[in-house]
């Protein structure tokens, strides 16, 4: 007779959340794109009516690591280069912070990725 061996535990299949249900943070980009860990990406804000208010000043000062008075002065400019030479994930994370306060931020790609 064959000895009784308990069955091996079966690992549950990983569930991938729906992007609509989980929001923009649902996926880890570093697993999808091998180049996402490379630096050279940036974040740009283009001025407009949406770039006003204390929430925008607070997010800009947090992302840039500067005082709120400096961030207030920067908001008077038409184009603001917020981040330079960061990873794609860092740039997109900062863009999501600006989107949360109603400001559209553009993630710029490194020159060597452009065709």
């Amino acid at each position: 007779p064959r000895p009784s061996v308990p069955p091996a535990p079966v690992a549950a299949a990983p569930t991938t959340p729906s992007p609509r249900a989980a929001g923009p943070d649902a996926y880890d980009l570093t697993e999808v794109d091998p180049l996402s860990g490379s630096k050279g990406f940036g974040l740009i804000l283009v001025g407009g009516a949406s770039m006003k208010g204390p929430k925008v000043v607070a997010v800009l000062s947090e992302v840039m690591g500067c005082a709120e008075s400096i961030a207030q002065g920067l908001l008077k400019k038409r184009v603001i280069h917020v981040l330079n030479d960061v990873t794609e994930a860092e740039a997109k994370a900062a863009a999501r912070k600006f989107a949360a306060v109603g400001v559209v931020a553009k993630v710029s790609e490194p020159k060597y990725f452009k065709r």
Side-chain angles (χ1 to χ4, degrees):
R2 209 164 129 177
S4 172
V5 178
V10 177
T15 58
T16 304
S18 164
R20 291 182 184 206
D25 296 326
Y27 298 102
D28 182 14
L29 296 176
T30 56
E31 292 179 10
V32 177
D33 185 9
L35 296 176
S36 66
S38 62
K39 292 195 174 220
F41 289 86
L43 187 71
I44 300 170
L45 302 179
V46 178
S50 65
M51 289 184 34
K52 294 181 181 178
K55 290 182 181 180
V56 179
V57 173
V59 171
L60 183 61
S61 66
E62 174 194 342
V63 170
M64 290 188 73
C66 64
E68 288 193 2
S69 60
I70 294 172
Q72 183 68 44
L74 285 172
L75 287 176
K76 295 177 184 175
K77 296 174 86 179
R78 181 83 174 125
V79 177
I80 304 169
H81 294 272
V82 179
L83 295 174
N84 254 345
D85 198 30
V86 296
T87 65
E88 183 180 15
E90 290 170 328
K92 287 186 175 183
R96 284 191 291 268
K97 288 181 182 182
F98 283 105
V101 293
V103 175
V104 177
K106 181 186 182 303
V107 175
S108 63
E109 296 180 353
K111 290 180 183 176
Y112 53 86
F113 284 152
K114 294 185 179 175
R115 298 176 192 210

